[in-house]
Amino acid sequence: MEKIVAQGMLYDFYGSLLTKHQQEVYEHVVYDDMSLNEIAEAEGISKQAVSDLIRRTTAQMEKVDGKLQLISRYRTIRNLCTSLQEAAGRGALTDDLVMEKTERILQQLQ
């Protein structure tokens, strides 16, 4: 399950960089939960070709993310926002805390 979540994140961030064919096949895997055999039949290609395409496409998107780090930055910003929300819910939201968290968010956006 963790692999599918990671592939989904990669696709959400970098899917638009893929060819239309790569997008279609990758969506079958990530969003439609289709097997390699089902995808091969639907796309008119071999199971091995599907497997290779998914592996290469994942590696391509991981390489881009390795350079841009968008997923890591997104997770950091999300965690900082969650921390602010939790502090507000506890009534523990101080000016210092808001300044610290927003400064860290701004750093991630640079």
Side-chain angles (χ1 to χ4, degrees), residues 53-108:
L53 187 143
I54 293 165
R55 186 178 29 78
R56 283 191 323 270
T57 301
T58 300
Q60 178 184 353
M61 290 187 290
E62 286 173 341
K63 182 178 179 181
V64 173
D65 189 57
K67 293 177 181 177
L68 298 178
Q69 297 291 306
L70 294 180
I71 294 173
S72 173
R73 292 164 75 183
Y74 165 79
R75 286 182 174 144
T76 298
I77 291 169
R78 187 183 63 202
N79 290 340
L80 290 165
C81 290
T82 300
S83 173
L84 283 170
Q85 285 179 319
E86 289 171 354
R90 293 189 314 269
L93 198 57
T94 64
D95 288 346
D96 288 341
L97 180 63
V98 170
M99 291 301 291
E100 174 205 339
K101 301 293 183 182
T102 55
E103 188 174 307
R104 289 180 58 197
I105 290 169
L106 289 171
Q107 287 173 353
Q108 291 297 312

Side-chain angles (χ1 to χ4, degrees), residues 28-68:
H28 286 319
V29 171
V30 175
Y31 296 133
D32 302 334
D33 195 29
M34 292 173 69
S35 71
L36 297 180
N37 285 330
E38 291 171 323
I39 297 167
E41 188 175 306
E43 295 294 323
I45 57 178
S46 71
K47 178 181 172 183
Q48 184 64 45
V50 172
S51 178
D52 289 346
L53 187 143
I54 293 165
R55 186 178 29 78
R56 283 191 323 270
T57 301
T58 300
Q60 178 184 353
M61 290 187 290
E62 286 173 341
K63 182 178 179 181
V64 173
D65 189 57
K67 293 177 181 177
L68 298 178

